[in-house]
Amino acid sequence: MSRHYYSCPLRWSDMDAFGHVNNAVFISYLEEARIDFMFRLAPGDGSPSFSGGSVVARHEIDYKRPLVHRHEPVTIESWVTKINAASLTIAYEIKDEGQVYVRASTVVVPYDLAAGRPRRITEEERMYLLKYLDDDAATGRSERAESAKDKDKDALAA
C-alpha cells in the first residue's frame, strides 16, 4: 500500500488564544491534503477522475496533542481505508517525525454537480484508490478494532 504525503504550512492566523493551532483549522488542513491527493494526483493526463465534484459526508477527528505554530510545515499522511460503490474513506495522520498531533478520517462521496446528486466511483478512480488502500482494510481487518487498540494505547500512555 502506498501513502500520500502532503507538506502543510502553518499560518500565524491558524493559532487560537491558547497559542496552538485551533481545532477547527485541522479540518482545513485535512481538506488541503485530500484535494492534493484526489485532484492533483488523479490518474492520467486530462483524466476526468475526481474532477466532477465530491462532498464530505463525515469527519472524525482525534486530537492527540497540541500543535504550536512554527515556520516548518507539518506532514499529513493519507491513505484509503474503505472503498464502497459510491463512497470512500480516507484516513489521515497530521504529524512530525515521532509525533502525531491528529488522527482523522473522512467519508467522501463523489458527486455529479450537473445532476445534483451522488454518483458511483468509476473504475479508473477505483484502480487509483486501490493503490492507497490500507493493507488491513484489504484483508478485512476491522477499523473499529484498530481504533480500540489506539484508544487503549493512549490510555496507557496517559
Side-chain angles (χ1 to χ4, degrees), residues 22-32 34 59 61 63:
N22 183 275
N23 66 72
V25 172
F26 284 102
I27 296 287
S28 295
Y29 291 173
L30 299 177
E31 177 185 46
E32 289 179 37
R34 185 174 62 255
H59 282 301
I61 301 176
Y63 300 96

Side-chain angles (χ1 to χ4, degrees), residues 109-125:
V109 177
Y111 200 79
D112 183 332
L113 296 173
R117 60 182 171 83
R119 67 170 179 80
R120 296 177 83 72
I121 293 173
T122 68
E123 187 58 31
E124 182 182 26
E125 291 166 341

Side-chain angles (χ1 to χ4, degrees), residues 10-153:
L10 307 181
R11 298 169 297 261
W12 181 256
S13 62
D14 293 346
M15 281 195 313
D16 61 17
F18 301 108
H20 54 72
V21 174
N22 183 275
N23 66 72
V25 172
F26 284 102
I27 296 287
S28 295
Y29 291 173
L30 299 177
E31 177 185 46
E32 289 179 37
R34 185 174 62 255
I35 296 302
D36 190 68
F37 171 60
M38 292 179 68
F39 293 91
R40 274 208 287 154
L41 298 179
D45 292 336
S47 170
S49 291
F50 304 117
S51 63
S54 62
V55 295
V56 170
R58 176 182 172 83
H59 282 301
E60 187 173 320
I61 301 176
D62 291 323
Y63 300 96
K64 298 300 184 183
R65 61 180 39 92
L67 175 58
V68 178
H69 184 270
R70 79 285 178 96
H71 295 288
E72 299 80 29
V74 68
T75 298
I76 304 176
E77 186 175 345
S78 310
W79 62 97
V80 176
T81 59
K82 192 173 194 180
I83 305 170
N84 291 328
S87 70
L88 64 126
T89 303
I90 301 173
Y92 317 82
E93 284 187 346
I94 298 178
K95 63 186 186 176
D96 289 322
E97 189 69 37
Q99 289 240 62
V100 175
Y101 302 102
V102 166
R103 285 195 178 106
S105 65
T106 303
V107 176
V108 179
V109 177
Y111 200 79
D112 183 332
L113 296 173
R117 60 182 171 83
R119 67 170 179 80
R120 296 177 83 72
I121 293 173
T122 68
E123 187 58 31
E124 182 182 26
E125 291 166 341
R126 181 176 304 283
M127 295 308 294
Y128 174 72
L129 294 169
L130 283 171
K131 292 184 230 172
Y132 295 92
L133 184 63
D134 184 74
D135 294 333
D136 290 336
T139 61
R141 187 171 167 187
S142 168
E143 284 181 50
R144 276 185 266 177
E146 194 65 31
S147 177
K149 190 189 311 180
D150 286 346
K151 287 179 184 172
D152 289 344
K153 283 183 201 174

